[in-house]
Amino acid sequence: MNLLRFAARRVAEMAATLLIASFVVFGAMYLAPGSPASFLLSGRSASPEAVAAINAQYHLDAPFAVRYLRWLGDMVQGDFGRSFTYRTDVSGLLADRLPTTLLLIAMALTVVVAAGLFLGRIAAVRGGATDAAVLISTTIAVGTPSFVAAVLLQGLFAVKLGWFPSSGSGDGLLDTLWHLTLPAVALALYLIGMLARVTRSAMLEALGSEHVTVARSRGVPERDVIRRHVLRNALGTVLTTGGLIVSTLLVCTILVETAFSVGGIGQLLELATSTKDFPTVQAISLIIVALFMAVNLLVDLLLPVVDPQITLGTRGAAA
């Protein structure tokens, strides 16, 4: 399949999915008990005139379809509405907090890929006691939820040892990286275990394949066999987990950011949900859906590059 045609088709599918998601996200506001006006009033009594003014300001007196289309049109233009809680534009809140979350996810993803591939590789290649140690450690990692890891890391390295700050996102690049180190490790721990296990299984399967046996019989050095034939063949399987890894990071960042008071969109989403700040919840929800679909598109485009035996648009490693 032509790469441009495939990409165009996937972008069209993403647009359709986002449209459906936008309708669900917008409509969910009206499934919550009470009216949006009651949340804006925060339980205070108000005159009919005041309620009418709020309905007019937020277009709550218009038919549902009109409200949705107006909201969708504003979203397409980058206008996410005004926050019920902060009484300011949601786009401004996102602009302040989104870079912190993206940096945190990038740091966690770097840790996941580096540690997960390394542990999976040495477990498959060395076997024996090394393999057993990796399996035990990854089992513990997979069984440790992100919020538990956050509390443990915070208590040990921030409170007891004082090596890292216990909260905040820092000022300036280096200070921000320092503040986000513990949250990134807490966010990555579970996924390191998962990726290490996937890498190990894929490499063990590749080690038993015929072309590896042939390469060894021809006298190809073991290091080259592992790098050119085993690891590269296993990367297709590893890459297919990319969408799951990123989606897990996007979800778990809410818990980790809250635990460390990072101040990203994860913590903002938690606060907005607890205060019924619908415009903020809607905007962040759509951003998360868009990021997830973009990562899946990138994975589909990279798979044939990593393993030419994989057909464009399929998810699976070559036999």
Side-chain angles (χ1 to χ4, degrees), residues 296-307:
N296 275 276
L297 173 60
L298 182 61
V299 168
D300 280 341
L301 293 177
L302 288 178
L303 275 174
V305 177
V306 172
D307 190 346

Side-chain angles (χ1 to χ4, degrees), residues 60 71 85 114 133 135 225 250 253 259 281 294 314:
L60 300 176
W71 173 81
T85 302
L135 285 176
V225 170
L250 289 171
T253 189
V281 172
T314 62

Side-chain angles (χ1 to χ4, degrees), residues 42-275:
S42 302
R44 301 187 304 270
S45 59
S47 65
E49 292 78 11
V51 174
I54 291 176
N55 288 333
Q57 179 182 356
Y58 290 92
H59 309 293
L60 300 176
D61 52 352
F64 176 84
V66 174
R67 292 196 299 272
Y68 169 69
L69 292 176
R70 180 184 286 119
W71 173 81
L72 182 62
D74 291 340
M75 292 284 282
V76 171
Q77 299 176 57
D79 182 2
F80 299 104
R82 288 182 62 82
S83 166
F84 289 174
T85 302
Y86 297 95
R87 297 295 196 273
T88 186
D89 291 338
V90 175
S91 57
L93 294 174
L94 297 178
D96 291 338
R97 295 170 180 258
L98 185 58
T100 300
T101 295
L102 293 180
L103 179 58
L104 173 59
I105 291 176
M107 291 175 63
L109 187 59
T110 301
V111 173
V112 169
V113 172
L117 290 180
F118 173 75
L119 291 174
R121 182 181 184 279
I122 64 172
V125 173
R126 296 184 182 179
T130 301
D131 187 24
V134 170
L135 285 176
I136 293 173
S137 61
T138 55
T139 299
I140 295 173
V142 170
T144 306
S146 295
F147 68 90
V148 175
V151 173
L152 294 176
L153 291 172
Q154 195 174 43
L156 177 60
F157 293 102
V159 177
K160 186 173 183 179
L161 298 177
W163 292 355
F164 296 94
S166 60
S167 62
S169 57
D171 297 314
L173 180 59
L174 293 180
D175 192 38
T176 298
L177 292 175
W178 184 47
H179 275 75
L180 295 183
T181 299
L182 284 185
V185 174
L187 196 56
L189 189 61
Y190 164 80
L191 293 170
I192 289 173
M194 185 185 73
L195 183 60
R197 285 171 168 267
V198 171
T199 303
R200 173 185 175 275
S201 298
M203 289 190 66
L204 286 176
E205 183 179 352
L207 281 168
S209 62
E210 183 178 351
H211 69 277
V212 170
T213 303
V214 171
R216 284 172 169 167
S217 66
R218 291 177 177 176
V220 178
E222 187 67 15
R223 178 178 297 180
D224 292 338
V225 170
I226 298 299
R227 179 170 54 86
R228 296 178 183 176
H229 300 283
V230 178
L231 184 58
R232 181 172 182 179
N233 198 56
L235 282 179
T237 302
V238 172
L239 190 57
T240 57
T241 64
L244 176 61
I245 289 175
V246 174
S247 64
T248 303
L249 288 175
L250 289 171
V251 172
C252 291
T253 189
I254 301 172
L255 302 173
V256 172
E257 286 187 7
T258 301
F260 286 93
S261 299
V262 169
I265 65 169
Q267 185 183 19
L268 179 62
L269 178 60
E270 191 275 333
L271 292 172
T273 302
S274 62
T275 58

